[in-house]
Amino acid sequence: PGPVSSIRGRLRRTLGTSETGDDDPVSNLELFFELVYAFAFTQVTALMLHESMPGSLIDGIVVLSLLWWSWSAFSWLANQARASEGILEGAVIVAMVAVFIACLALPDAFHHVRGALYSGTVLVGCYAAVRLTHFAAYLLAARDNRRVRRLVALTVPASMIPTIALLVLGTLLDQPWQRPVWAAAVLYDFGAVFVTGRAELGWAIRSATHFAEGYGLIVLLALGESVVSIANGLDERRLSWSIAVGAVLALLVALGMFLAYFQGQFARLERALSRLEGRARAQLGRDVFTYLHFPVIVGITLSALGIEKALGHLGNARLGALGGWALGAGVAVFLASTAALEWRACGRWLRPRLAASALLVAISAPLTLAPPLAAIGAIAAVVIGLAAAERNPVFPSATAQR
């Protein structure tokens, strides 16, 4: 009994976890985990450049949603127990490796390259590994809480198993069925997580600061992809006046989106989450951060695609359909999504953002016919003008205080 008890004690210490504290920041391991997603955003853009519209955009959003759930699942888990301790540290590392391999497969996920691994199968296998690792870690972290273990055992498989099954089916069917089957899989996942999450909210958000900080960092990394897309679009060409002006205008587009999110809004979202407790806090975290932040990421990714297309064709007379719609509609989706964040968290509509979103959608079609430099300049003027207007408002931005 003595040696057995000693082994059990060492095992419990190895697998042991501690609860995330109210003031715990995002750990270095979590930050490194998020850095893998910076590479992921770059790969999603590469995927969307492979095919023509609208299929390329659908493919990109589908795989982006898979990446989003793989990251978001661990953001909730790390808010319950410290990610850099015990079994969670190993789980995060396993998931990080799986996501990185999945990123390598992303550009060819919807078509097979002769002589290479079938990227679609690799992507699905890695996604399944991440979800299963998260599931196992959740159960181990909650070993002393029977209610939480029961909730996790009942609710997580309800979304995970059918989603993975549909993804596997899509890889077996190949094109043209892979795209709709994978789209059905991610739509099911979105719906199932929302429905089953009503029960799973038994695990409250322990630290509002830690939870919000993680989402703020992932937005910042996505914006970093917009900056990287400038270099990708230029493709090592020699510096000229048109390239310099285009690069500066593209940077202003990214800066305008940065200001829209971090010039006060992020702090308001964090405060709104901190003011609540228990189930109400968990519901707000689910709605504002897990769900409404996804279209924020989609908008940034689409705008990065548009920037890369525009800077890659500065000498052309027309930007083209993919570049024009990705640039205009992408920024519009981002601004509309941030307006939705404000409404859900703070009970008010940011009317200038809604107006700017409508304007960007309206000019997206003309942007496809405009010279790339003019198109980037028009988008930069809208987002920087919006940032200036919100810093010194002429009209009130709130229409419906709750």
Side-chain angles (χ1 to χ4, degrees):
V4 172
S5 177
S6 177
I7 291 172
R8 286 178 178 174
R10 287 198 297 269
L11 183 61
R12 286 183 67 87
R13 286 193 295 272
T14 301
L15 299 180
T17 58
S18 59
E19 294 182 357
T20 300
D22 290 338
D23 299 324
D24 281 356
V26 172
S27 67
N28 290 333
L29 180 61
E30 291 173 81
L31 180 58
F32 192 77
F33 182 46
E34 292 194 356
L35 287 176
V36 176
Y37 286 84
F39 175 49
F41 296 139
T42 302
Q43 293 294 84
V44 171
T45 303
L47 167 65
M48 291 190 290
L49 287 170
H50 263 216
E51 306 289 343
S52 58
M53 287 179 57
S56 62
L57 301 183
I58 295 173
D59 294 347
I61 293 172
V62 165
V63 297
L64 191 60
S65 69
L66 296 178
L67 292 167
W68 180 252
W69 284 123
S70 69
W71 176 82
S72 188
F74 276 87
S75 74
W76 281 85
L77 179 56
N79 193 258
Q80 308 304 317
R82 293 188 175 98
S84 56
E85 296 180 6
I87 187 63
L88 260 67
E89 182 178 25
V92 170
I93 292 173
V94 169
M96 179 170 54
V97 172
V99 171
F100 183 76
I101 296 173
C103 291
L104 297 176
L106 275 182
D108 299 315
F110 288 86
H111 56 85
H112 183 52
V113 177
R114 188 182 300 275
L117 294 174
Y118 190 4
S119 296
T121 302
V122 172
L123 177 59
V124 173
C126 291
Y127 177 75
V130 172
R131 293 293 296 267
L132 289 170
T133 301
H134 166 262
F135 178 53
Y138 226 135
L139 289 176
L140 288 171
R143 65 180 184 276
D144 296 327
N145 191 323
R146 292 183 178 180
R147 178 174 177 270
V148 171
R149 291 189 67 178
R150 181 178 60 83
L151 287 172
V152 173
L154 290 175
T155 58
V156 174
S159 64
M160 177 179 64
I161 294 175
T163 299
I164 294 174
L166 285 171
L167 292 173
V168 171
L169 177 61
T171 59
L172 295 175
L173 293 175
D174 210 346
Q175 294 292 24
W177 296 104
Q178 182 183 354
R179 181 179 294 148
V181 172
W182 277 25
V186 298
L187 288 174
Y188 171 82
D189 208 13
F190 269 79
V193 170
F194 185 85
V195 173
T196 59
R198 293 178 179 272
E200 197 177 348
L201 290 177
W203 267 23
I205 295 175
R206 298 187 186 278
S207 171
T209 299
H210 176 276
F211 192 76
E213 183 182 354
Y215 283 86
L217 287 171
I218 203 71
V219 171
L220 190 60
L221 288 174
L223 288 170
E225 161 56 12
S226 296
V227 177
V228 172
S229 66
I230 299 174
N232 291 339
L234 294 176
D235 195 24
E236 299 183 355
R237 285 180 293 168
R238 293 181 181 275
L239 184 64
S240 64
W241 281 110
S242 62
I243 287 177
V245 172
V248 170
L249 290 174
L251 184 62
L252 289 177
V253 173
L255 176 62
M257 291 191 289
F258 171 86
L259 293 174
Y261 185 82
F262 289 101
Q263 185 180 261
Q265 182 173 58
F266 174 72
R268 293 193 297 270
L269 298 179
E270 183 180 345
R271 286 196 299 269
L273 192 66
S274 300
R275 284 195 295 264
L276 300 176
E277 297 290 342
R279 190 176 183 85
R281 176 187 284 187
Q283 288 174 336
L284 187 69
R286 177 197 63 192
D287 297 346
V288 169
F289 291 93
T290 301
Y291 276 86
L292 289 178
H293 267 69
F294 177 65
V296 170
I297 299 298
V298 170
I300 295 172
T301 305
L302 289 175
S303 66
L305 172 65
I307 287 172
E308 186 168 341
K309 288 289 291 183
L311 292 178
H313 299 83
L314 284 178
N316 294 6
R318 297 180 179 181
L319 175 56
L322 180 58
W325 281 104
L327 188 57
V331 179
V333 168
F334 169 81
L335 293 177
S337 300
T338 58
L341 293 177
E342 192 81 13
W343 174 79
R344 177 62 181 88
C346 305
R348 63 178 185 174
W349 283 112
L350 298 177
R351 290 188 292 182
R353 297 194 187 187
L354 295 176
S357 299
L359 173 62
L360 289 170
V361 171
I363 66 173
S364 291
L367 286 180
T368 65
L369 304 176
L373 200 60
I376 302 176
I379 300 297
V382 172
V383 293
I384 295 299
L386 175 65
E390 290 189 331
R391 182 180 288 271
N392 301 288
V394 177
F395 302 102
S397 59
T399 59
Q401 292 288 344
R402 291 191 298 179

